Short mmCIF file of all heavy atoms in Angstrom, two decimals:
data_model
loop_
_atom_site.label_atom_id
_atom_site.label_comp_id
_atom_site.label_asym_id
_atom_site.label_seq_id
_atom_site.Cartn_x
_atom_site.Cartn_y
_atom_site.Cartn_z
N GLN A 85 6.06 6.20 0.57
CA GLN A 85 6.59 7.21 1.49
C GLN A 85 6.33 6.76 2.92
O GLN A 85 7.10 7.04 3.82
CB GLN A 85 5.93 8.56 1.25
CG GLN A 85 6.42 9.64 2.18
CD GLN A 85 5.87 10.99 1.82
OE1 GLN A 85 5.08 11.11 0.90
NE2 GLN A 85 6.27 12.01 2.53
N GLY A 86 5.23 6.06 3.11
CA GLY A 86 4.91 5.59 4.44
C GLY A 86 3.80 4.56 4.41
O GLY A 86 3.03 4.49 3.46
N ILE A 87 3.75 3.76 5.46
CA ILE A 87 2.71 2.77 5.64
C ILE A 87 2.12 3.02 7.02
O ILE A 87 2.84 2.98 8.02
CB ILE A 87 3.27 1.33 5.55
CG1 ILE A 87 3.93 1.10 4.18
CG2 ILE A 87 2.16 0.31 5.81
CD1 ILE A 87 4.69 -0.20 4.07
N SER A 88 0.82 3.29 7.07
CA SER A 88 0.14 3.53 8.35
C SER A 88 -0.81 2.39 8.63
O SER A 88 -1.49 1.90 7.73
CB SER A 88 -0.66 4.83 8.29
OG SER A 88 0.16 5.92 7.98
N VAL A 89 -0.87 1.98 9.88
CA VAL A 89 -1.80 0.94 10.32
C VAL A 89 -2.60 1.53 11.47
O VAL A 89 -2.02 2.06 12.43
CB VAL A 89 -1.06 -0.33 10.77
CG1 VAL A 89 -2.04 -1.38 11.24
CG2 VAL A 89 -0.18 -0.87 9.66
N THR A 90 -3.94 1.46 11.38
CA THR A 90 -4.79 2.03 12.41
C THR A 90 -5.45 0.92 13.23
O THR A 90 -5.52 -0.23 12.80
CB THR A 90 -5.88 2.94 11.81
OG1 THR A 90 -6.77 2.13 11.04
CG2 THR A 90 -5.27 4.02 10.93
N LEU A 91 -5.95 1.28 14.40
CA LEU A 91 -6.59 0.31 15.29
C LEU A 91 -7.91 -0.21 14.74
O LEU A 91 -8.38 -1.27 15.15
CB LEU A 91 -6.82 0.94 16.67
CG LEU A 91 -5.55 1.30 17.44
CD1 LEU A 91 -5.90 2.00 18.74
CD2 LEU A 91 -4.71 0.06 17.70
N ASP A 92 -8.52 0.53 13.80
CA ASP A 92 -9.78 0.07 13.22
C ASP A 92 -9.55 -0.70 11.91
O ASP A 92 -10.40 -0.70 11.02
CB ASP A 92 -10.76 1.22 13.04
CG ASP A 92 -10.23 2.34 12.17
OD1 ASP A 92 -9.02 2.37 11.90
OD2 ASP A 92 -11.02 3.20 11.76
N LYS A 93 -8.41 -1.37 11.81
CA LYS A 93 -8.08 -2.29 10.70
C LYS A 93 -7.97 -1.60 9.34
O LYS A 93 -8.49 -2.08 8.35
CB LYS A 93 -9.08 -3.43 10.63
CG LYS A 93 -8.99 -4.40 11.78
CD LYS A 93 -9.91 -5.57 11.56
CE LYS A 93 -9.21 -6.83 11.97
NZ LYS A 93 -10.07 -7.99 11.78
N LYS A 94 -7.28 -0.48 9.31
CA LYS A 94 -7.00 0.20 8.05
C LYS A 94 -5.49 0.23 7.84
O LYS A 94 -4.74 0.55 8.75
CB LYS A 94 -7.54 1.62 8.05
CG LYS A 94 -9.05 1.67 8.09
CD LYS A 94 -9.56 3.09 8.11
CE LYS A 94 -11.08 3.09 8.21
NZ LYS A 94 -11.61 4.43 8.40
N ILE A 95 -5.08 -0.08 6.60
CA ILE A 95 -3.67 0.01 6.21
C ILE A 95 -3.62 1.01 5.07
O ILE A 95 -4.29 0.83 4.05
CB ILE A 95 -3.12 -1.36 5.75
CG1 ILE A 95 -3.28 -2.40 6.86
CG2 ILE A 95 -1.66 -1.22 5.31
CD1 ILE A 95 -2.99 -3.81 6.42
N ILE A 96 -2.83 2.07 5.23
CA ILE A 96 -2.76 3.13 4.23
C ILE A 96 -1.33 3.22 3.71
O ILE A 96 -0.39 3.39 4.48
CB ILE A 96 -3.19 4.49 4.82
CG1 ILE A 96 -4.62 4.36 5.37
CG2 ILE A 96 -3.13 5.60 3.78
CD1 ILE A 96 -4.78 4.86 6.75
N ILE A 97 -1.19 3.08 2.40
CA ILE A 97 0.11 3.18 1.73
C ILE A 97 0.17 4.54 1.03
O ILE A 97 -0.71 4.87 0.24
CB ILE A 97 0.29 2.06 0.67
CG1 ILE A 97 -0.08 0.69 1.22
CG2 ILE A 97 1.68 2.11 0.05
CD1 ILE A 97 0.84 0.14 2.25
N ARG A 98 1.19 5.33 1.30
CA ARG A 98 1.38 6.62 0.64
C ARG A 98 2.58 6.53 -0.30
O ARG A 98 3.63 6.01 0.06
CB ARG A 98 1.65 7.72 1.68
CG ARG A 98 0.51 7.94 2.60
CD ARG A 98 -0.47 8.89 2.01
NE ARG A 98 -1.56 9.09 2.95
CZ ARG A 98 -2.79 9.36 2.59
NH1 ARG A 98 -3.10 9.47 1.32
NH2 ARG A 98 -3.72 9.52 3.49
N ARG A 99 2.39 7.05 -1.51
CA ARG A 99 3.44 7.02 -2.53
C ARG A 99 4.47 8.13 -2.28
O ARG A 99 4.13 9.24 -1.90
CB ARG A 99 2.83 7.22 -3.91
CG ARG A 99 3.84 7.17 -5.03
CD ARG A 99 3.21 7.43 -6.40
NE ARG A 99 2.05 6.62 -6.66
CZ ARG A 99 2.06 5.34 -7.03
NH1 ARG A 99 3.21 4.71 -7.15
NH2 ARG A 99 0.95 4.69 -7.25
#
Side-chain angles (χ1 to χ4, degrees):
Q85 179 173 3
I87 301 171
S88 302
V89 179
T90 66
L91 295 176
D92 58 347
K93 290 186 139 180
K94 294 179 182 173
I95 302 170
I96 303 130
I97 311 291
R98 297 275 180 210
R99 182 183 310 282

